[in-house]
Structures are given as structure tokens and as C-alpha cells.
Amino acid sequence: MNPDRTVRTARWSEADGVLLLRSVATAMVRLGEAGDPGTASAVPYPEEAQRALNATVLTCLLLKARPPESLPELVEWGGPPPPHNRSRINN
């Protein structure tokens, strides 16, 4: 293996999760201020919202997870669970 080509593995820490959560939460607040966060219809999106989407996509790619395809999908991820899952969470 070429020593100049090091393979990096993604490592996830609680601190990373806190930073990403803060970024997404800030995005939701800014989207709420700009309009309906459920539709993410404010175009262009607030800077914080685009930054949160970028960070989420990068994190998903590093962790080999499917990223959200759009800001509305990221908003959907942060929404309440589908009705069939709510009883399990509340019990």
C-alpha cells in the first residue's frame, strides 16, 4: 500500500452527535421563522438549514448510511414517528 494514501475510517463520538443535533435544531428554528418547517418551502433556505443538511449528508456518507435527499426529507426525519411507532415509544 502506498504510504501517501492512508485509508481513513469514520469514527463517531457523542460530541459529533451533539454538534450535528445542534446544527439540525438550529436549522429547524430558522426554517420555522422563515415559514412552515414541515414543507421547507422557503427558498433559498436559511444558511443554517443548508449547513445542517450538508453536515447530515456528509455524516451519513462517512458512516455508510443513506443520507436525506433534500431539506424537506431532513425535516421529515426530525418529525414525530409514524403512528404505528408511537405506542411503542410512549410505553
Side-chain angles (χ1 to χ4, degrees), residues 23-35 37 42 45-49:
S23 177
V24 171
T26 300
M28 297 305 138
V29 169
R30 295 295 178 260
L31 285 168
E33 292 171 350
Y45 300 130
E47 185 178 312
E48 296 88 353

Side-chain angles (χ1 to χ4, degrees), residues 16-62:
D16 295 327
V18 169
L19 292 173
L20 185 58
L21 177 62
R22 180 179 180 196
S23 177
V24 171
T26 300
M28 297 305 138
V29 169
R30 295 295 178 260
L31 285 168
E33 292 171 350
D36 180 6
T39 61
S41 60
V43 177
Y45 300 130
E47 185 178 312
E48 296 88 353
Q50 187 63 54
R51 193 175 308 127
L53 177 61
N54 295 348
T56 303
V57 169
L58 177 60
T59 299
C60 288
L61 293 174
L62 289 172

Side-chain angles (χ1 to χ4, degrees), residues 68-91:
E69 295 181 10
S70 63
L71 190 57
E73 186 175 350
L74 179 62
V75 170
E76 208 175 276
W77 282 17
H84 67 277
N85 289 337
R86 287 188 186 147
S87 60
R88 192 172 42 162
I89 292 170
N90 292 331
N91 291 333

